[in-house]
Each structure stands twice: as C-alpha cells, then as structure tokens.
Amino acid sequence: MEEDAGDGSVTKSVAMMACTAMALFYVAILYSPTWILRLPPPSSFKQFMIRRFICAAISSLVSMLLSALILLPMRSWEVSHLFGVYGIRIDHIWQAMVFPLSLTSLMYAGSLVLKSLLIVSSWKQYKNQGRGIAIDYVKNVPQNIFNWVCSTASSILVWRNYVVAPFTEELVFRACMIPLLLCGGFKTYSVIFLCPIFFSLAHLNHLLEFYSKHNRSLLKAFMVAGLQLGYTVIFGSYASLLFIRTGHIVAPIVAHIFCNFMGLPVLFARGKGMVSVAFVAGMVGFLWLLFPVTDPALYNYRTDNCRCWHGYCTWT
C-alpha cells in the first residue's frame, strides 16, 4: 500500500480513516441528543424522528466539509468545483433520473408483475360480484388521489424512507466517500466493493433494535441484521457504480428511493410462475443494459471535457 503519493494527492490511509470517521459519525450523531446533549426523551415518535432528521442533516454537512478540507489542497480548485466532485449538477438531470430509475425497475420485474396480477385479480373479483363502475366513484378519484397524497406527505416514515435517508446517505456514502477513495489511489472496482462496507457499518446500530424487538434473541437479531447488511452491501455496490459512471448524485438517490419503496425483490410467488419468469427476464435485462445505460457519454456533453484524478472524473 502506497502511503505517500508524492504529488499532493490523498493517501490511502487518509482516505480510509476519513471514510471510517464519516461512517461512525453518521451513526453516533443519531444518539447525541440523549447521550451527549442529555436532552429529555421526545414526547412523540414524530419528535423523535425529527431529531434524527436534524442529526442526519448535520452529519451530511460535516462529512462534506471534511472531504472538502481533504480534497481542496490537492489542486488549485475553486470551491464551486466541489459541487461537481460531489455530483451535484443540474445538467443532464432528466437522464440521471429516468435512466437509472428504469434500470433499477428491471430488478423488480417480478414484484411489478405480482402487483399487476393482484390488481387484475381484485378487479375480476369486483366484477364477479356484479358491481359496475359508478359515476360517483369515478368523480371521486381525483379527490381520493389528493387525499392519499396529503396523507402520504404528512407521514413521518415517508419522509424518512423517501427523503431524509436517501439524500443524506447518498451524500455521505457516495458523494463524499467515493472521491476520497478514488483520489486516494484505490481502483474503481475496489471502490465499488469497498464503499458499501462503510455503508453497512452505518446500519449495524439496527442490531440492537432487532435484538430488543425479537424478545432479546441474539440469533434472530443476527439473522435479520445479516439479511439487511447483505442487502445494503449489494445496493451500496450498485449505487456506487451509478455515481461513478454517471457523475450525478441524483442517479443513486432515485435508485435508493425506488428500492426503499419496493423493498426486497420478489423472486417467486406460489401459483404464479409468471412472477419468477419476469424476475429472471428482468435480471437478464438489467445485467445486459447495466453498462450501456450508465455510459458516461449519456450524462455529459463531451467525454473529453473532464478532469481526472486517479481515475475519478468530474464533468463540466
């Protein structure tokens, strides 16, 4: 392992220590209100989650500041260049949203087919009961949709799963860590598999939660936590690949939101062989399109208009 690059770049040891510190800080700060600040227990679950939202936001800002302090001395950069390093860009924004989302949905082909089959089944059952489509029901559809949107937007868990967690985790574990690791001299394929390890460390705190929820059974807690850690490693590798290939932080964020919404992919369903066929076909399509859909040329004006540091590019 090379400790001193000699050209002003980040050493591997510094990159590793910084990433470890950011991962641990992301978890530790969640418990700071009660352990460090000694604040009284929250009066409600909503207040508890809001505290965690604030802590996660602070963690993201501190991680971005730390990575900036390490990266800025490397070159005569302007501070504005850091937004490109972090993948915070507005150009090619729709490509960064639509293409990764479409690619990610292929992994959930089985889940989507199962949901479609359930909808068709419920519709047939509705018709077999001799019910028609009432005009009043059709008229109430817009109002029902509006009510659903309002109730969803007011849910604290929705904000956690689809806003706070995706944005803060991708900023810390992709936007901040990946440039450090790449500038530290790690190869791209090493970063894709190394970065999720830090991502998994940030989820180890769930082990205590699982332990308390499963009647303090250590075996069950380790089984549930192990399943979650395995899933986070796989998703973390995929999100890292999206960030490196597209140079857009939006790409892993939309994939993160979609995966949180869908949960684990459905591999099979009893009596519904079409679900398994769809899953296999979706995975084949996903693997086939993975690199073409994430081609950097799709997300940048010119592929020769970049600045590279040990294999890491920011596009202008």
Side-chain angles (χ1 to χ4, degrees):
M1 179 182 293
E2 184 180 7
E3 290 299 326
D4 186 6
D7 59 355
S9 62
V10 180
T11 63
K12 289 185 176 181
S13 59
V14 169
M16 288 290 291
M17 288 189 293
C19 292
T20 302
M22 286 188 285
L24 294 177
F25 183 67
Y26 188 89
V27 177
I29 195 174
L30 297 178
Y31 301 94
S32 62
T34 53
W35 290 4
I36 299 177
L37 300 179
R38 300 295 182 180
L39 296 178
S43 58
S44 64
F45 177 73
K46 183 176 182 179
Q47 187 182 40
F48 170 76
M49 292 305 302
I50 290 176
R51 282 188 184 181
R52 290 208 156 186
F53 292 171
I54 295 173
C55 291
I58 293 174
S59 175
S60 300
L61 293 175
V62 171
S63 295
M64 294 176 71
L65 178 61
L66 175 61
S67 60
L69 292 175
I70 297 174
L71 292 172
L72 276 176
M74 289 177 54
R75 299 289 188 272
S76 57
W77 298 344
E78 296 179 5
V79 175
S80 59
H81 290 166
L82 282 174
F83 287 103
V85 174
Y86 294 142
I88 302 175
R89 301 161 41 201
I90 58 174
D91 63 285
H92 297 80
I93 189 72
W94 76 266
Q95 291 96 326
M97 295 178 64
V98 175
F99 293 162
L101 181 60
S102 301
L103 181 66
T104 307
S105 65
L106 290 176
M107 293 189 293
Y108 289 90
S111 304
L112 295 174
V113 168
L114 178 60
K115 290 180 182 294
S116 300
L117 292 175
L118 292 176
I119 292 175
V120 171
S121 177
S122 62
W123 176 252
K124 288 182 177 179
Q125 184 178 3
Y126 185 85
K127 289 185 64 178
N128 291 336
Q129 293 176 353
R131 300 179 182 179
I133 302 178
I135 297 179
D136 292 338
Y137 177 81
V138 175
K139 290 182 178 179
N140 290 331
V141 168
Q143 183 63 38
N144 294 333
I145 294 176
F146 177 77
N147 293 336
W148 176 81
V149 171
C150 290
S151 62
T152 301
S154 61
S155 172
I156 197 70
L157 292 178
V158 168
W159 281 92
R160 181 193 67 179
N161 295 333
Y162 309 136
V163 180
V164 178
F167 277 84
T168 59
E169 289 180 0
E170 295 308 317
L171 281 173
V172 173
F173 296 96
R174 248 63 69 181
C176 293
M177 291 188 181
I178 289 179
L180 284 173
L181 294 172
L182 289 172
C183 290
F186 289 94
K187 300 297 183 182
T188 301
Y189 63 84
S190 299
V191 174
I192 290 175
F193 293 102
L194 179 61
C195 196
I197 295 177
F198 298 108
F199 188 50
S200 299
L201 287 176
H203 293 78
L204 284 177
N205 62 309
H206 296 309
L207 180 63
L208 295 176
E209 297 178 6
F210 295 145
Y211 178 68
S212 60
K213 288 181 179 179
H214 292 84
N215 299 320
R216 302 192 178 277
S217 172
L218 195 59
L219 178 60
K220 291 183 179 180
F222 270 111
M223 290 177 61
V224 176
L227 177 63
Q228 186 186 51
L229 290 179
Y231 178 73
T232 56
V233 167
I234 295 174
F235 172 78
S237 299
Y238 174 56
S240 299
L241 177 67
L242 285 178
F243 181 75
I244 293 173
R245 296 276 293 174
T246 66
H248 242 299
I249 191 59
V250 170
I253 286 178
V254 295
H256 197 149
I257 294 173
F258 185 77
C259 289
N260 280 359
F261 178 76
M262 295 297 295
L264 292 174
V266 176
L267 308 183
F268 63 90
R270 182 176 299 178
K272 296 179 174 64
M274 190 182 300
V275 173
S276 298
V277 173
F279 172 77
V280 173
M283 288 304 302
V284 171
F286 171 81
L287 295 174
W288 182 45
L289 295 172
L290 178 59
F291 286 97
V293 171
T294 60
D295 188 343
L298 296 174
Y299 305 90
N300 304 278
Y301 291 114
R302 294 177 56 189
T303 56
D304 61 347
N305 196 25
C306 66
R307 293 181 295 275
C308 301
W309 305 284
H310 293 276
Y312 178 71
C313 296
T314 58
W315 304 86
T316 57

